[in-house]
Short mmCIF file of all heavy atoms in Angstrom, two decimals:
data_model
loop_
_atom_site.label_atom_id
_atom_site.label_comp_id
_atom_site.label_asym_id
_atom_site.label_seq_id
_atom_site.Cartn_x
_atom_site.Cartn_y
_atom_site.Cartn_z
N MET A 1 -23.62 -176.37 68.02
CA MET A 1 -24.34 -175.65 66.97
C MET A 1 -23.59 -174.36 66.61
O MET A 1 -23.11 -173.66 67.47
CB MET A 1 -25.73 -175.30 67.48
CG MET A 1 -26.70 -174.85 66.42
SD MET A 1 -27.00 -176.13 65.16
CE MET A 1 -27.79 -177.38 66.15
N ALA A 2 -23.46 -174.11 65.34
CA ALA A 2 -22.63 -172.99 64.91
C ALA A 2 -23.31 -171.64 65.21
O ALA A 2 -24.52 -171.49 65.02
CB ALA A 2 -22.38 -173.08 63.41
N ARG A 3 -22.51 -170.70 65.62
CA ARG A 3 -23.01 -169.35 65.81
C ARG A 3 -23.02 -168.62 64.46
O ARG A 3 -22.20 -168.85 63.61
CB ARG A 3 -22.10 -168.57 66.75
CG ARG A 3 -22.12 -169.10 68.16
CD ARG A 3 -21.42 -168.17 69.14
NE ARG A 3 -20.03 -167.97 68.79
CZ ARG A 3 -19.19 -167.16 69.45
NH1 ARG A 3 -19.62 -166.49 70.49
NH2 ARG A 3 -17.94 -167.04 69.04
N ILE A 4 -24.02 -167.74 64.33
CA ILE A 4 -24.08 -166.89 63.15
C ILE A 4 -23.28 -165.61 63.46
O ILE A 4 -23.53 -164.95 64.46
CB ILE A 4 -25.53 -166.54 62.78
CG1 ILE A 4 -26.29 -167.83 62.39
CG2 ILE A 4 -25.57 -165.55 61.63
CD1 ILE A 4 -27.76 -167.61 62.13
N VAL A 5 -22.35 -165.30 62.60
CA VAL A 5 -21.54 -164.11 62.79
C VAL A 5 -21.71 -163.18 61.58
O VAL A 5 -22.07 -163.59 60.48
CB VAL A 5 -20.03 -164.44 62.97
CG1 VAL A 5 -19.85 -165.32 64.22
CG2 VAL A 5 -19.46 -165.11 61.74
N THR A 6 -21.44 -161.91 61.82
CA THR A 6 -21.44 -160.95 60.71
C THR A 6 -20.25 -160.02 60.94
O THR A 6 -19.50 -160.18 61.91
CB THR A 6 -22.77 -160.18 60.64
OG1 THR A 6 -22.81 -159.42 59.45
CG2 THR A 6 -22.93 -159.24 61.83
N THR A 7 -20.06 -159.07 60.04
CA THR A 7 -18.90 -158.19 60.17
C THR A 7 -19.33 -156.86 60.75
O THR A 7 -20.27 -156.23 60.28
CB THR A 7 -18.27 -157.96 58.78
OG1 THR A 7 -17.90 -159.21 58.22
CG2 THR A 7 -17.05 -157.06 58.87
N CYS A 8 -18.62 -156.44 61.80
CA CYS A 8 -18.89 -155.12 62.40
C CYS A 8 -18.50 -154.04 61.41
O CYS A 8 -17.36 -154.00 60.97
CB CYS A 8 -18.09 -154.99 63.70
SG CYS A 8 -18.15 -153.33 64.40
N PRO A 9 -19.44 -153.15 61.04
CA PRO A 9 -19.10 -152.11 60.05
C PRO A 9 -18.15 -151.06 60.61
O PRO A 9 -17.52 -150.32 59.87
CB PRO A 9 -20.45 -151.51 59.70
CG PRO A 9 -21.31 -151.80 60.89
CD PRO A 9 -20.83 -153.11 61.45
N THR A 10 -18.03 -151.00 61.93
CA THR A 10 -17.15 -150.01 62.55
C THR A 10 -15.72 -150.49 62.63
O THR A 10 -14.77 -149.76 62.31
CB THR A 10 -17.67 -149.64 63.95
OG1 THR A 10 -19.00 -149.17 63.84
CG2 THR A 10 -16.81 -148.57 64.59
N THR A 11 -15.54 -151.74 63.04
CA THR A 11 -14.18 -152.26 63.26
C THR A 11 -13.75 -153.24 62.19
O THR A 11 -12.56 -153.54 62.09
CB THR A 11 -14.10 -152.96 64.63
OG1 THR A 11 -14.92 -154.13 64.60
CG2 THR A 11 -14.57 -152.03 65.76
N GLY A 12 -14.69 -153.80 61.43
CA GLY A 12 -14.35 -154.79 60.42
C GLY A 12 -14.12 -156.18 60.98
O GLY A 12 -13.72 -157.07 60.25
N GLU A 13 -14.36 -156.36 62.27
CA GLU A 13 -14.15 -157.65 62.89
C GLU A 13 -15.39 -158.52 62.78
O GLU A 13 -16.51 -158.03 62.71
CB GLU A 13 -13.78 -157.48 64.37
CG GLU A 13 -12.45 -156.78 64.59
CD GLU A 13 -12.08 -156.79 66.05
OE1 GLU A 13 -12.32 -157.79 66.73
OE2 GLU A 13 -11.55 -155.76 66.52
N SER A 14 -15.21 -159.82 62.83
CA SER A 14 -16.32 -160.74 62.90
C SER A 14 -16.89 -160.72 64.31
O SER A 14 -16.16 -160.81 65.29
CB SER A 14 -15.87 -162.16 62.57
OG SER A 14 -15.46 -162.23 61.22
N VAL A 15 -18.20 -160.57 64.38
CA VAL A 15 -18.87 -160.50 65.68
C VAL A 15 -20.07 -161.45 65.67
O VAL A 15 -20.75 -161.60 64.67
CB VAL A 15 -19.34 -159.08 66.02
CG1 VAL A 15 -18.14 -158.19 66.28
CG2 VAL A 15 -20.22 -158.53 64.95
N PRO A 16 -20.31 -162.13 66.80
CA PRO A 16 -21.50 -163.00 66.86
C PRO A 16 -22.77 -162.18 66.90
O PRO A 16 -22.84 -161.14 67.58
CB PRO A 16 -21.27 -163.78 68.17
CG PRO A 16 -20.40 -162.90 69.00
CD PRO A 16 -19.52 -162.16 68.01
N THR A 17 -23.78 -162.64 66.18
CA THR A 17 -25.05 -161.92 66.16
C THR A 17 -25.96 -162.28 67.32
O THR A 17 -26.96 -161.64 67.56
CB THR A 17 -25.83 -162.26 64.88
OG1 THR A 17 -26.10 -163.66 64.86
CG2 THR A 17 -25.04 -161.87 63.64
N GLY A 18 -25.59 -163.35 68.05
CA GLY A 18 -26.45 -163.84 69.12
C GLY A 18 -27.42 -164.90 68.67
O GLY A 18 -28.11 -165.51 69.46
N TYR A 19 -27.47 -165.13 67.35
CA TYR A 19 -28.30 -166.20 66.81
C TYR A 19 -27.42 -167.40 66.45
O TYR A 19 -26.22 -167.26 66.28
CB TYR A 19 -29.02 -165.74 65.54
CG TYR A 19 -30.06 -164.68 65.79
CD1 TYR A 19 -29.74 -163.35 65.66
CD2 TYR A 19 -31.35 -165.04 66.14
CE1 TYR A 19 -30.69 -162.36 65.90
CE2 TYR A 19 -32.32 -164.08 66.37
CZ TYR A 19 -31.97 -162.73 66.24
OH TYR A 19 -32.91 -161.78 66.46
N ARG A 20 -28.06 -168.54 66.37
CA ARG A 20 -27.35 -169.74 65.95
C ARG A 20 -27.99 -170.29 64.68
O ARG A 20 -29.09 -169.93 64.34
CB ARG A 20 -27.39 -170.79 67.08
CG ARG A 20 -26.54 -170.36 68.27
CD ARG A 20 -26.64 -171.32 69.44
NE ARG A 20 -25.83 -170.82 70.54
CZ ARG A 20 -24.55 -171.12 70.72
NH1 ARG A 20 -23.94 -171.95 69.89
NH2 ARG A 20 -23.85 -170.62 71.73
N SER A 21 -27.25 -171.13 64.00
CA SER A 21 -27.72 -171.63 62.72
C SER A 21 -29.01 -172.43 62.85
O SER A 21 -29.73 -172.61 61.88
CB SER A 21 -26.64 -172.47 62.03
OG SER A 21 -26.24 -173.53 62.87
N ALA A 22 -29.30 -172.90 64.07
CA ALA A 22 -30.57 -173.59 64.28
C ALA A 22 -31.74 -172.61 64.34
O ALA A 22 -32.89 -172.99 64.11
CB ALA A 22 -30.53 -174.39 65.58
N ASP A 23 -31.45 -171.36 64.64
CA ASP A 23 -32.49 -170.35 64.77
C ASP A 23 -32.92 -169.76 63.42
O ASP A 23 -34.08 -169.48 63.19
CB ASP A 23 -32.01 -169.19 65.68
CG ASP A 23 -31.64 -169.67 67.06
OD1 ASP A 23 -32.30 -170.59 67.57
OD2 ASP A 23 -30.68 -169.12 67.61
N ILE A 24 -31.95 -169.53 62.56
CA ILE A 24 -32.19 -168.88 61.28
C ILE A 24 -31.49 -169.67 60.18
O ILE A 24 -30.29 -169.98 60.29
CB ILE A 24 -31.64 -167.43 61.30
CG1 ILE A 24 -32.36 -166.59 62.37
CG2 ILE A 24 -31.77 -166.78 59.94
CD1 ILE A 24 -31.75 -165.21 62.55
N ASP A 25 -32.23 -169.99 59.14
CA ASP A 25 -31.63 -170.60 57.96
C ASP A 25 -31.20 -169.49 57.01
O ASP A 25 -32.02 -168.86 56.36
CB ASP A 25 -32.65 -171.54 57.30
CG ASP A 25 -32.03 -172.32 56.13
OD1 ASP A 25 -31.00 -171.88 55.60
OD2 ASP A 25 -32.61 -173.34 55.77
N LEU A 26 -29.91 -169.27 56.94
CA LEU A 26 -29.41 -168.12 56.17
C LEU A 26 -29.73 -168.23 54.68
O LEU A 26 -29.87 -167.23 53.97
CB LEU A 26 -27.90 -167.97 56.35
CG LEU A 26 -27.44 -167.60 57.78
CD1 LEU A 26 -25.92 -167.53 57.83
CD2 LEU A 26 -28.05 -166.27 58.22
N GLU A 27 -29.82 -169.47 54.19
CA GLU A 27 -30.09 -169.62 52.77
C GLU A 27 -31.55 -169.42 52.42
O GLU A 27 -31.90 -169.21 51.27
CB GLU A 27 -29.63 -171.02 52.30
CG GLU A 27 -28.11 -171.18 52.45
CD GLU A 27 -27.62 -172.48 51.85
OE1 GLU A 27 -28.47 -173.27 51.37
OE2 GLU A 27 -26.42 -172.72 51.87
N GLN A 28 -32.41 -169.51 53.43
CA GLN A 28 -33.84 -169.37 53.19
C GLN A 28 -34.39 -168.00 53.64
O GLN A 28 -35.48 -167.63 53.26
CB GLN A 28 -34.61 -170.47 53.94
CG GLN A 28 -34.23 -171.88 53.51
CD GLN A 28 -34.67 -172.19 52.09
OE1 GLN A 28 -35.71 -171.69 51.64
NE2 GLN A 28 -33.89 -172.96 51.38
N SER A 29 -33.64 -167.30 54.46
CA SER A 29 -34.14 -166.07 55.07
C SER A 29 -33.72 -164.86 54.25
O SER A 29 -32.58 -164.80 53.75
CB SER A 29 -33.61 -165.94 56.50
OG SER A 29 -34.03 -167.03 57.27
N SER A 30 -34.60 -163.89 54.14
CA SER A 30 -34.26 -162.67 53.44
C SER A 30 -34.49 -161.43 54.32
O SER A 30 -34.41 -160.31 53.85
CB SER A 30 -35.10 -162.52 52.18
OG SER A 30 -36.47 -162.55 52.51
N GLY A 31 -34.76 -161.65 55.59
CA GLY A 31 -35.05 -160.53 56.50
C GLY A 31 -33.79 -159.87 57.00
O GLY A 31 -32.67 -160.23 56.66
N ALA A 32 -33.99 -158.87 57.83
CA ALA A 32 -32.88 -158.18 58.48
C ALA A 32 -33.11 -158.21 59.99
O ALA A 32 -34.25 -158.19 60.45
CB ALA A 32 -32.76 -156.76 58.00
N TRP A 33 -32.04 -158.28 60.72
CA TRP A 33 -32.10 -158.32 62.18
C TRP A 33 -31.15 -157.29 62.73
O TRP A 33 -30.25 -156.82 62.04
CB TRP A 33 -31.67 -159.71 62.70
CG TRP A 33 -32.55 -160.84 62.27
CD1 TRP A 33 -33.62 -161.34 62.97
CD2 TRP A 33 -32.50 -161.58 61.05
NE1 TRP A 33 -34.19 -162.35 62.26
CE2 TRP A 33 -33.54 -162.53 61.08
CE3 TRP A 33 -31.66 -161.54 59.93
CZ2 TRP A 33 -33.76 -163.42 60.04
CZ3 TRP A 33 -31.89 -162.44 58.89
CH2 TRP A 33 -32.92 -163.37 58.97
N SER A 34 -31.35 -156.93 63.98
CA SER A 34 -30.42 -156.02 64.63
C SER A 34 -29.90 -156.66 65.91
O SER A 34 -30.55 -157.54 66.49
CB SER A 34 -31.07 -154.68 64.92
OG SER A 34 -32.15 -154.86 65.82
N PHE A 35 -28.72 -156.27 66.30
CA PHE A 35 -28.12 -156.84 67.51
C PHE A 35 -27.13 -155.80 68.07
O PHE A 35 -26.69 -154.90 67.36
CB PHE A 35 -27.37 -158.14 67.19
CG PHE A 35 -26.07 -157.94 66.41
CD1 PHE A 35 -24.86 -158.09 67.02
CD2 PHE A 35 -26.10 -157.53 65.08
CE1 PHE A 35 -23.66 -157.88 66.32
CE2 PHE A 35 -24.93 -157.34 64.36
CZ PHE A 35 -23.72 -157.52 64.99
N ARG A 36 -26.83 -155.95 69.36
CA ARG A 36 -25.84 -155.07 69.94
C ARG A 36 -24.47 -155.71 69.81
O ARG A 36 -24.24 -156.82 70.26
CB ARG A 36 -26.15 -154.80 71.44
CG ARG A 36 -25.17 -153.81 72.05
CD ARG A 36 -25.60 -153.34 73.42
NE ARG A 36 -26.85 -152.55 73.37
CZ ARG A 36 -26.90 -151.25 73.05
NH1 ARG A 36 -25.78 -150.58 72.81
NH2 ARG A 36 -28.04 -150.62 73.03
N CYS A 37 -23.59 -155.01 69.17
CA CYS A 37 -22.28 -155.53 68.82
C CYS A 37 -21.43 -155.73 70.06
O CYS A 37 -21.32 -154.81 70.91
CB CYS A 37 -21.62 -154.53 67.86
SG CYS A 37 -19.97 -155.02 67.33
N SER A 38 -20.79 -156.89 70.16
CA SER A 38 -19.97 -157.15 71.33
C SER A 38 -18.59 -156.51 71.20
O SER A 38 -17.84 -156.47 72.17
CB SER A 38 -19.81 -158.67 71.53
OG SER A 38 -19.19 -159.25 70.40
N VAL A 39 -18.24 -156.00 70.04
CA VAL A 39 -16.95 -155.36 69.85
C VAL A 39 -17.04 -153.86 70.13
O VAL A 39 -16.26 -153.30 70.89
CB VAL A 39 -16.43 -155.60 68.42
CG1 VAL A 39 -15.13 -154.84 68.17
CG2 VAL A 39 -16.23 -157.09 68.18
N CYS A 40 -18.00 -153.17 69.50
CA CYS A 40 -18.04 -151.71 69.63
C CYS A 40 -19.26 -151.23 70.43
O CYS A 40 -19.39 -150.03 70.64
CB CYS A 40 -18.02 -151.06 68.24
SG CYS A 40 -19.53 -151.28 67.30
N GLN A 41 -20.12 -152.14 70.83
CA GLN A 41 -21.28 -151.85 71.70
C GLN A 41 -22.37 -151.05 71.03
O GLN A 41 -23.30 -150.58 71.67
CB GLN A 41 -20.83 -151.13 73.01
CG GLN A 41 -19.74 -151.86 73.78
CD GLN A 41 -20.15 -153.29 74.13
OE1 GLN A 41 -21.26 -153.53 74.56
NE2 GLN A 41 -19.25 -154.23 73.94
N GLN A 42 -22.27 -150.85 69.71
CA GLN A 42 -23.36 -150.19 68.99
C GLN A 42 -24.31 -151.21 68.46
O GLN A 42 -23.99 -152.40 68.37
CB GLN A 42 -22.76 -149.37 67.84
CG GLN A 42 -21.85 -148.24 68.29
CD GLN A 42 -21.25 -147.48 67.10
OE1 GLN A 42 -21.92 -147.23 66.11
NE2 GLN A 42 -19.98 -147.15 67.22
N VAL A 43 -25.52 -150.75 68.07
CA VAL A 43 -26.50 -151.64 67.48
C VAL A 43 -26.33 -151.62 65.96
O VAL A 43 -26.32 -150.56 65.34
CB VAL A 43 -27.94 -151.22 67.87
CG1 VAL A 43 -28.96 -152.09 67.15
CG2 VAL A 43 -28.11 -151.34 69.38
N HIS A 44 -26.13 -152.80 65.37
CA HIS A 44 -26.00 -152.91 63.93
C HIS A 44 -27.17 -153.72 63.38
O HIS A 44 -27.72 -154.58 64.04
CB HIS A 44 -24.72 -153.68 63.57
CG HIS A 44 -23.47 -153.11 64.11
ND1 HIS A 44 -23.15 -151.77 64.01
CD2 HIS A 44 -22.44 -153.68 64.76
CE1 HIS A 44 -21.96 -151.57 64.57
NE2 HIS A 44 -21.51 -152.70 65.05
N ALA A 45 -27.50 -153.45 62.13
CA ALA A 45 -28.42 -154.29 61.40
C ALA A 45 -27.62 -155.25 60.54
O ALA A 45 -26.56 -154.89 60.02
CB ALA A 45 -29.34 -153.43 60.52
N TRP A 46 -28.13 -156.46 60.36
CA TRP A 46 -27.47 -157.43 59.48
C TRP A 46 -28.53 -158.19 58.73
O TRP A 46 -29.64 -158.33 59.18
CB TRP A 46 -26.53 -158.35 60.24
CG TRP A 46 -27.21 -159.22 61.26
CD1 TRP A 46 -27.52 -158.85 62.54
CD2 TRP A 46 -27.67 -160.57 61.10
NE1 TRP A 46 -28.15 -159.90 63.17
CE2 TRP A 46 -28.23 -160.96 62.33
CE3 TRP A 46 -27.61 -161.49 60.05
CZ2 TRP A 46 -28.79 -162.25 62.51
CZ3 TRP A 46 -28.15 -162.76 60.25
CH2 TRP A 46 -28.74 -163.13 61.47
N THR A 47 -28.16 -158.68 57.56
CA THR A 47 -29.06 -159.47 56.76
C THR A 47 -28.44 -160.84 56.53
O THR A 47 -27.25 -161.04 56.69
CB THR A 47 -29.34 -158.80 55.40
OG1 THR A 47 -28.11 -158.71 54.67
CG2 THR A 47 -29.91 -157.41 55.58
N ALA A 48 -29.26 -161.77 56.13
CA ALA A 48 -28.81 -163.15 55.93
C ALA A 48 -27.69 -163.20 54.86
O ALA A 48 -26.77 -163.98 54.98
CB ALA A 48 -29.97 -164.04 55.48
N SER A 49 -27.75 -162.35 53.87
CA SER A 49 -26.78 -162.41 52.77
C SER A 49 -25.39 -161.98 53.22
O SER A 49 -24.39 -162.37 52.60
CB SER A 49 -27.24 -161.55 51.60
OG SER A 49 -27.30 -160.20 51.98
N GLU A 50 -25.30 -161.19 54.30
CA GLU A 50 -23.96 -160.75 54.72
C GLU A 50 -23.48 -161.48 55.96
O GLU A 50 -22.37 -161.22 56.45
CB GLU A 50 -23.95 -159.23 54.97
CG GLU A 50 -24.84 -158.79 56.09
CD GLU A 50 -25.10 -157.28 56.09
OE1 GLU A 50 -24.96 -156.64 55.02
OE2 GLU A 50 -25.45 -156.72 57.15
N ALA A 51 -24.31 -162.39 56.47
CA ALA A 51 -23.90 -163.15 57.65
C ALA A 51 -23.38 -164.52 57.22
O ALA A 51 -23.55 -164.95 56.08
CB ALA A 51 -25.09 -163.31 58.57
N ARG A 52 -22.73 -165.20 58.13
CA ARG A 52 -22.23 -166.56 57.87
C ARG A 52 -22.12 -167.27 59.19
O ARG A 52 -22.16 -166.66 60.25
CB ARG A 52 -20.86 -166.47 57.17
CG ARG A 52 -19.82 -165.77 58.02
CD ARG A 52 -18.72 -165.17 57.16
NE ARG A 52 -17.75 -164.43 57.98
CZ ARG A 52 -17.95 -163.18 58.43
NH1 ARG A 52 -19.05 -162.54 58.12
NH2 ARG A 52 -17.05 -162.58 59.19
N THR A 53 -21.99 -168.57 59.11
CA THR A 53 -21.79 -169.33 60.35
C THR A 53 -20.31 -169.48 60.63
O THR A 53 -19.49 -169.44 59.73
CB THR A 53 -22.44 -170.72 60.25
OG1 THR A 53 -21.78 -171.46 59.22
CG2 THR A 53 -23.92 -170.60 59.93
N GLU A 54 -19.99 -169.65 61.87
CA GLU A 54 -18.57 -169.83 62.23
C GLU A 54 -17.98 -171.06 61.58
O GLU A 54 -16.83 -171.09 61.20
CB GLU A 54 -18.44 -169.92 63.75
CG GLU A 54 -18.58 -168.58 64.43
CD GLU A 54 -18.18 -168.65 65.88
OE1 GLU A 54 -18.48 -169.64 66.54
OE2 GLU A 54 -17.55 -167.69 66.35
N ALA A 55 -18.78 -172.11 61.44
CA ALA A 55 -18.27 -173.32 60.78
C ALA A 55 -17.87 -173.06 59.37
O ALA A 55 -16.81 -173.49 58.91
CB ALA A 55 -19.36 -174.41 60.81
N THR A 56 -18.66 -172.29 58.63
CA THR A 56 -18.34 -171.93 57.26
C THR A 56 -17.06 -171.12 57.19
O THR A 56 -16.20 -171.32 56.36
CB THR A 56 -19.48 -171.09 56.63
OG1 THR A 56 -20.67 -171.87 56.70
CG2 THR A 56 -19.19 -170.73 55.20
N GLU A 57 -16.93 -170.20 58.16
CA GLU A 57 -15.75 -169.34 58.19
C GLU A 57 -14.51 -170.17 58.43
O GLU A 57 -13.47 -169.92 57.85
CB GLU A 57 -15.95 -168.31 59.32
CG GLU A 57 -14.91 -167.21 59.31
CD GLU A 57 -15.29 -166.13 60.32
OE1 GLU A 57 -15.41 -166.47 61.51
OE2 GLU A 57 -15.46 -164.98 59.93
N ARG A 58 -14.63 -171.16 59.28
CA ARG A 58 -13.48 -171.98 59.62
C ARG A 58 -13.00 -172.77 58.39
O ARG A 58 -11.83 -172.89 58.11
CB ARG A 58 -13.78 -172.93 60.78
CG ARG A 58 -12.56 -173.53 61.44
CD ARG A 58 -12.92 -174.40 62.63
NE ARG A 58 -13.88 -173.76 63.52
CZ ARG A 58 -15.04 -174.28 63.90
NH1 ARG A 58 -15.41 -175.46 63.47
NH2 ARG A 58 -15.83 -173.62 64.72
N PHE A 59 -13.97 -173.31 57.64
CA PHE A 59 -13.60 -174.09 56.45
C PHE A 59 -12.98 -173.19 55.40
O PHE A 59 -12.12 -173.61 54.65
CB PHE A 59 -14.85 -174.76 55.87
CG PHE A 59 -15.32 -175.95 56.65
CD1 PHE A 59 -16.62 -176.05 57.10
CD2 PHE A 59 -14.43 -176.97 56.98
CE1 PHE A 59 -17.04 -177.16 57.83
CE2 PHE A 59 -14.85 -178.05 57.71
CZ PHE A 59 -16.16 -178.16 58.14
N ALA A 60 -13.41 -171.94 55.33
CA ALA A 60 -12.92 -171.06 54.30
C ALA A 60 -11.51 -170.55 54.60
O ALA A 60 -10.79 -170.14 53.70
CB ALA A 60 -13.87 -169.85 54.15
N ALA A 61 -11.11 -170.62 55.85
CA ALA A 61 -9.83 -170.02 56.23
C ALA A 61 -8.63 -170.87 55.80
O ALA A 61 -8.80 -172.05 55.50
CB ALA A 61 -9.78 -169.83 57.76
ZN1 ZN B 101 -19.74 -153.15 65.93
#
């Protein structure tokens, strides 16, 4: 199952949100979530519109 990732606003790196595509449907959800970033250890907020799944990212690369 694909992990949902977003971009760390501090480092610009892709970081996992801790959610998976089975947990949240990004195309149907309009909420915001927060998570502790595994790169910079700060808490970031992310929304469905700025997140993506790793599978999508791989295809786009
Ligand atoms: Zn971060």
Side-chain angles (χ1 to χ4, degrees):
M1 194 62 65
R3 294 190 300 177
I4 297 174
V5 299
T6 189
T7 302
C8 171
T10 303
T11 66
E13 293 187 39
S14 293
V15 292
T17 61
Y19 292 94
R20 291 175 182 271
S21 57
D23 300 324
I24 298 173
D25 185 339
L26 294 178
E27 296 187 358
Q28 299 293 326
S29 300
S30 58
W33 297 266
S34 62
F35 72 108
R36 183 169 295 278
C37 180
S38 61
V39 176
C40 71
Q41 306 304 316
Q42 296 178 40
V43 175
H44 303 312
W46 62 277
T47 63
S49 63
E50 66 194 22
R52 61 205 177 279
T53 63
E54 284 191 321
T56 302
E57 190 172 59
R58 197 177 313 126
F59 285 127

